Amino acid sequence: MDPLPIARLQFATTTSFHFLFVLLTLGLVTVVAITQTRATISGTPQLLRMTRFWGRLYVINYALGIATGIVMEFQFGLTWTGLSAFAGDVFGAPLAIETLVAFFLESTFLGLWIFGWGRLNKWVHLATIWLVTLTAYASALFIMVANSFLQNPVGSHPENGVLRLDDFGALLTNPALVASLPHVLAAALATGGFFVVGVSAYHFIKRTPEVDFFRRSMRTGVVTALVGSILVIQQGFAQFGELAKYQPHKLDGNSTGVATPLGVMVTIGFVMFLCTVIGTVLLYRNWLMRARPLLYLMVPAIALPFGAAIGGWLVREIGRQPWLVWGKLRTADAISGVSAGKILFSFVAFGVLFAALAVADWVLLSRIARRGPEPEEAPAEPELPVLSGV
């Protein structure tokens, strides 16, 4: 067996799984931060309940998404040692910053937010969720800095057969980053918006007694999805001009093999935009919550941004081949000296792990989503059980 296609398929699977978790995490944390800001300023109890409900779903997705990210970074040292040896000085810098600064700070602030309910001053508690949001976006920034370097290796020079970093600022102004980062962040907003709309639609289908709660949530989700859909299309087409400068061959979809995923991504993107426009019009006319046939379509529509995201990621990665670092290092030269059998074994093991994580994430999210928000008379913090003799 040839180890190269197995290793590529393994990393593609790992990256795709992790990317889906990241999109929903970024989208939901933005919704939670905005909702808590409105609750803190207005003092509306319903907005505070919305913060807790959608925040609980965000935390579940965040926790399970961490494992996929850890496994993905392990693969750089296990399967792609050629990349680490050749470009580790450059490629590793943004990854180290993402792990040591953005990720650890995000986890710390998230812990303060979770355990600070009813204990921290309301403005301090609000600040913690915004710090969680900002560090989450910073994490996405540095991940995209690393990936954009692979697409367009700026800020480095070859020395003794390896790449050396000579301008970190060039990594932050990389045309491949400037064009793609807003597109990814917009996709996250659309994902969070569609998720909130789909869950709210489910409760209207089930004729929930929490009418006001999910009416407010539906409005928030529709507006978020509309903004995300507009930006994701605008920023998506804006990338074509930059691609023509550093990877002109990628625009020829038939020769690079990206025609199909590109078509899927563009089609789903316009379907999402159409859905959000219709939803906004119906929302303005106060018809959206009463249009039951549309409510049944909103629930499976949660999957639309995920499908578009996978298509977009395939376009970005497949279109770079046969280069791992564009024009500098071929993918075939970056693979570790590991037998195909061992890579296949790890691929199967990781595949089973990711499938289990995906199922666990779906089960937990759907269970909490179906249960709905806590009752209005519920205490701000659940009481801890008292153990005899303690």
Side-chain angles (χ1 to χ4, degrees):
M1 292 187 295
D2 184 359
L4 180 59
I6 304 173
R8 288 185 60 192
L9 183 60
Q10 179 191 53
F11 195 75
T13 304
T14 306
T15 307
S16 299
F17 266 98
H18 182 61
F19 190 43
L20 297 183
F21 281 96
V22 169
L23 281 179
L24 185 56
T25 294
L26 286 174
L28 278 182
V29 74
T30 306
V31 170
V32 172
I34 293 174
T35 303
Q36 184 169 349
T37 301
R38 295 171 59 199
T40 304
I41 294 175
S42 67
T44 305
Q46 196 73 287
L47 290 172
L48 189 60
R49 294 177 68 218
M50 288 170 57
T51 302
R52 293 176 65 85
F53 175 69
W54 297 112
R56 187 177 296 116
L57 293 170
Y58 154 70
V59 171
I60 292 172
N61 189 75
Y62 173 85
L64 292 174
I66 291 175
T68 60
I70 293 174
V71 172
M72 184 178 66
E73 296 206 10
F74 279 159
Q75 289 185 22
F76 290 125
L78 296 174
T79 311
W80 301 102
T81 53
L83 173 63
S84 302
F86 177 74
D89 287 354
V90 186
F91 182 72
L95 290 182
I97 295 174
E98 188 274 333
T99 301
L100 297 176
V101 178
F103 172 70
F104 284 156
L105 284 177
E106 181 183 2
S107 302
T108 300
F109 293 133
L110 180 58
L112 290 172
W113 183 75
I114 292 173
F115 297 106
W117 283 97
R119 297 179 177 88
L120 296 176
N121 173 276
K122 66 176 184 178
W123 296 104
V124 175
H125 192 247
L126 175 63
T128 61
I129 190 60
W130 274 110
L131 288 171
V132 170
T133 305
L134 292 176
T135 49
Y137 277 83
S139 181
L141 165 65
F142 288 112
I143 289 295
M144 291 302 297
V145 167
N147 182 266
S148 297
F149 168 78
L150 301 181
Q151 305 287 337
N152 185 30
V154 298
S156 61
H157 69 277
E159 180 181 311
N160 299 324
V162 298
L163 290 181
R164 302 294 186 187
L165 177 64
D166 53 24
D167 186 1
F168 189 80
L171 297 180
L172 299 177
T173 58
N174 190 342
L177 171 69
V178 174
S180 61
L181 181 63
H183 182 64
V184 171
L185 298 183
L189 283 179
T191 303
F194 270 83
F195 182 81
V196 172
V197 168
V199 173
S200 301
Y202 170 83
H203 281 273
F204 281 113
I205 293 172
K206 297 299 182 181
R207 302 188 185 279
T208 175
E210 296 281 357
V211 175
D212 181 61
F213 182 96
F214 285 106
R215 181 186 289 117
R216 290 173 180 264
S217 295
M218 180 76 80
R219 290 171 180 168
T220 300
V222 168
V223 172
T224 304
L226 177 65
V227 172
S229 298
I230 293 174
L231 292 178
V232 79
I233 292 175
Q234 189 273 327
Q235 292 298 323
F237 281 105
Q239 292 187 67
F240 289 131
E242 296 298 332
L243 277 175
K245 299 176 183 178
Y246 62 87
Q247 283 186 16
H249 88 297
K250 187 179 284 190
L251 299 177
D252 184 3
N254 293 323
S255 64
T256 57
V258 301
T260 299
L262 179 61
V264 170
M265 177 189 65
V266 173
T267 301
I268 296 179
F270 279 106
V271 170
M272 290 166 52
F273 174 67
L274 180 62
C275 291
T276 57
V277 170
I278 294 174
T280 303
V281 172
L282 294 177
L283 185 67
Y284 175 75
R285 302 292 297 181
N286 202 27
W287 293 340
L288 186 59
M289 277 67 77
R290 298 195 296 267
R292 292 188 66 80
L294 288 179
L295 293 176
Y296 281 97
L297 295 177
M298 293 176 193
V299 179
I302 293 174
L304 286 178
F306 293 109
I310 292 298
W313 197 256
L314 290 176
V315 170
R316 187 171 176 85
E317 298 306 302
I318 294 176
R320 190 179 67 240
Q321 300 304 316
W323 299 100
L324 185 55
V325 180
W326 178 254
K328 304 289 185 180
L329 177 67
R330 291 183 177 272
T331 305
D333 298 328
I335 191 171
S336 305
V338 181
S339 67
K342 292 181 179 178
I343 296 178
L344 179 61
F345 175 80
S346 65
F347 174 47
V348 173
F350 286 142
V352 172
L353 172 63
F354 288 160
L357 288 173
V359 171
D361 188 49
W362 175 255
V363 170
L364 291 173
L365 287 178
S366 60
R367 181 178 299 173
I368 297 298
R370 288 197 303 267
R371 184 185 303 166
E374 61 192 12
E376 291 189 46
E377 65 274 10
E381 278 293 309
E383 295 182 2
L384 297 176
V386 178
L387 302 179
S388 60
V390 179

